[in-house]
């Protein structure tokens, strides 16, 4: 099968802002990158209707529009963009990359920029209103719903942090958590309880979100919740055991975590943390983008579980392209027998 593989100098897994930033830099360095769009082309930014915190757009820009502009910019410099989901990587010189449809590539270098998928609940109204009052990023979208009543769904660090952040804009903020106890660190639990005592946050434990009502034209208008006296998920209780009620809100923020898209790296020797995030030399979110496997690099939310912002993903994408370029130049020197022994220590 590998005999039929097409060889590429550089393959970039993911077409979100990290992957496209890497592609722009890599193409300008004459590394002929191939960008493989996975099952979520454009990444999470395509779920954001208005991006107001990306530098250079004082009037804001739509997430899909920003992604399309970056694609055009990458292609202008020679990037090839194709659809493909990587299912297996066999590291080596070169790396063997197999796609779900059976296509096989070999590549001198691979940049993993496949991102992380925000977890959602799958409740009615969620998909229809994503980007129209339903969001997975308070930092990105909170300011758009100034003076609205908002809810944050979750019980971990992210939910508590996002609720605290949203108090800057919201009329009221309610945390909806389906269990009695928070899973967050003590600092964030104490912070939420402090905000609750000050009247800035309402905590609704043993409560689940069942439905989101509204329309893309009018946005989110209300939610249906269920309070579970025993603190169990509603699917384990009879209807008679739950108290269902509606709440008028203008925004719903999902803060129930992210799942890094790293399944294809599981057996490569690339180090992943307990949650599946890719570990790079220099630490997550900073340092270099090199992994422990020569010729494999990481960028964006597939690495960064902390910041998860468009601008940080873009910055890491450009760093990954620069690191990959240095690696590819070293490969060329080795092939020509002119490698600099000191370069390995740089």
């Amino acid at each position: 099968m590998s005999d039929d593989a097409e060889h590429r100098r550089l393959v970039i897994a993911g077409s979100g802002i990290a992957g496209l930033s890497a592609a722009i830099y890599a193409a300008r360095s004459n590394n002929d990158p191939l960008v493989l769009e996975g099952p979520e082309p454009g990444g999470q930014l395509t779920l954001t209707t208005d991006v107001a915190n990306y530098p250079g757009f004082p009037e804001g820009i739509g997430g899909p529009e920003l992604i399309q502009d970056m694609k055009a910019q990458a292609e202008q410099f020679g990037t090839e963009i194709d659809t493909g989901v990587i299912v297996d990587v066999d590291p080596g010189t070169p790396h063997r990359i197999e796609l779900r449809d059976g296509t096989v590539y070999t590549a001198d270098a691979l940049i993993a920029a496949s991102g992380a998928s925000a977890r959602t609940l799958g409740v009615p109204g969620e998909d229809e209103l994503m980007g129209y009052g339903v969001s997975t990023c308070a930092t990105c979208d909170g300011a758009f719903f100034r003076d609205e009543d908002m809810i944050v769904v979750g019980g971990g660090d992210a939910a508590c942090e996002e609720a605290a952040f949203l108090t800057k804009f919201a009329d009221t903020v309610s945390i909806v958590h389906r269990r009695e106890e928070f899973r967050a660190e003590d600092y964030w639990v104490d912070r939420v309880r402090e905000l609750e005592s000050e009247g800035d946050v309402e905590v609704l434990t043993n409560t689940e979100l069942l439905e989101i009502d509204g329309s893309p034209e009018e946005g989110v208008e209300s939610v249906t919740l269920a309070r579970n006296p025993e603190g169990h998920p509603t699917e384990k209780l009879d209807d008679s055991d739950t108290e269902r009620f509606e709440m008028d809100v203008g925004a719903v923020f999902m803060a129930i975590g992210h799942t890094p898209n790293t399944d294809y790296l599981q057996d490569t020797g690339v180090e992943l943390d307990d949650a599946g995030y890719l570990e790079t030399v220099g630490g997550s979110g900073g340092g270099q983008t090199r992994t422990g496997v020569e010729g494999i690099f990481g960028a964006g939310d597939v690495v960064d579980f902390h910041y998860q912002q468009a601008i940080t993903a873009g910055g890491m994408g450009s760093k990954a392209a620069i690191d990959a370029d240095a690696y590819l130049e070293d490969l060329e020197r080795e092939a020509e027998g002119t490698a600099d022994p000191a370069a390995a220590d740089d």
Side-chain angles (χ1 to χ4, degrees):
M1 195 172 196
S2 59
D3 292 340
D4 298 326
E6 178 184 344
H7 183 72
R8 306 299 298 237
R9 185 171 172 83
L10 173 64
V11 169
I12 299 172
S15 60
I17 203 159
L20 293 175
S21 295
I24 291 168
Y25 273 74
R28 284 173 57 85
S29 296
N30 294 323
N31 285 322
D32 301 321
L34 169 65
V35 172
L36 294 173
E37 291 189 314
E40 300 176 17
Q44 294 185 62
L45 209 62
T46 59
L47 302 177
T48 303
T49 54
D50 195 2
V51 180
N53 57 359
Y54 197 80
F57 300 95
E59 303 301 322
I61 184 172
E65 182 184 357
L66 179 57
I67 289 295
Q68 289 302 317
D69 286 350
M70 291 186 70
K71 280 185 179 181
Q73 188 174 5
E75 289 174 327
Q76 172 187 333
F77 294 121
T79 297
E80 180 182 344
I81 300 176
D82 200 359
T83 300
V85 177
I86 299 177
V87 294
D88 184 66
V89 175
D90 185 9
T93 309
H95 307 300
R96 181 182 183 276
I97 300 168
E98 183 176 350
L99 307 188
R100 182 181 294 165
D101 65 3
T103 302
V104 176
Y105 292 98
T106 58
D108 294 322
L110 169 66
I111 295 177
S114 41
S117 300
R119 297 179 191 144
T120 55
L121 295 174
V123 299
E126 184 180 61
D127 288 343
E128 177 189 4
L129 295 169
M130 185 65 70
Y132 299 96
V134 177
S135 173
T136 58
C137 180
T139 307
C140 308
D141 300 329
F144 296 123
F145 304 101
R146 192 178 298 273
D147 299 327
E148 294 277 8
D149 297 320
M150 308 180 190
I151 68 167
V152 177
V153 181
D157 289 349
C160 294
E161 186 174 0
E162 294 212 339
F165 175 81
L166 289 171
T167 59
K168 301 176 182 180
F169 311 105
D171 188 15
T172 64
V173 177
S174 300
I175 299 179
V176 174
H177 180 39
R178 71 174 187 165
R179 303 194 183 279
E180 177 68 30
E181 300 295 332
F182 283 100
R183 295 175 290 105
E185 294 180 358
D186 289 344
Y187 169 82
W188 284 113
V189 175
D190 292 343
R191 178 64 177 141
V192 163
R193 294 304 183 188
E194 179 185 354
L195 291 168
E196 184 182 28
S197 67
E198 295 171 353
D200 294 323
V201 168
E202 179 184 16
V203 176
L204 300 175
T205 55
N206 297 334
T207 302
E208 288 189 70
L209 174 65
L210 299 183
E211 186 173 350
I212 307 169
D213 297 306
S215 66
E217 294 76 23
E218 299 296 330
V220 171
E221 296 177 349
S222 66
V223 294
T224 302
L225 304 172
R227 183 172 288 115
N228 313 317
E230 302 301 322
H232 298 298
T234 51
E235 61 267 20
K236 297 181 180 179
L237 297 172
D238 297 329
D239 287 349
S240 59
D241 295 322
T242 63
E243 173 196 347
R244 284 168 167 75
F245 61 100
E246 290 193 1
M247 177 183 293
D248 292 335
V249 299
V252 176
F253 291 90
M254 300 291 179
I256 53 178
H258 292 75
T259 301
N261 301 316
T262 55
D263 286 350
Y264 64 99
L265 296 172
Q266 290 288 342
D267 299 318
T268 61
V270 170
E271 290 190 30
L272 307 174
D273 69 12
D274 292 341
Y277 286 92
L278 188 156
E279 295 190 345
T280 58
V281 176
S284 174
Q288 300 181 53
T289 64
R290 294 184 296 114
T291 69
V293 175
E294 288 293 314
I296 298 181
F297 304 82
D301 287 0
V302 75
V303 177
D304 172 25
F305 56 81
H306 179 66
Y307 296 104
Q308 295 184 328
Q309 298 298 302
I311 191 168
T312 54
M316 286 189 71
S318 65
K319 289 164 63 176
I322 293 169
D323 289 343
D325 182 60
Y327 170 79
L328 291 168
E329 288 185 352
D330 285 345
L331 277 186
E332 286 186 349
R333 284 194 290 266
E334 288 176 8
E336 296 168 357
T338 60
D340 180 3
D345 299 326
D346 289 346

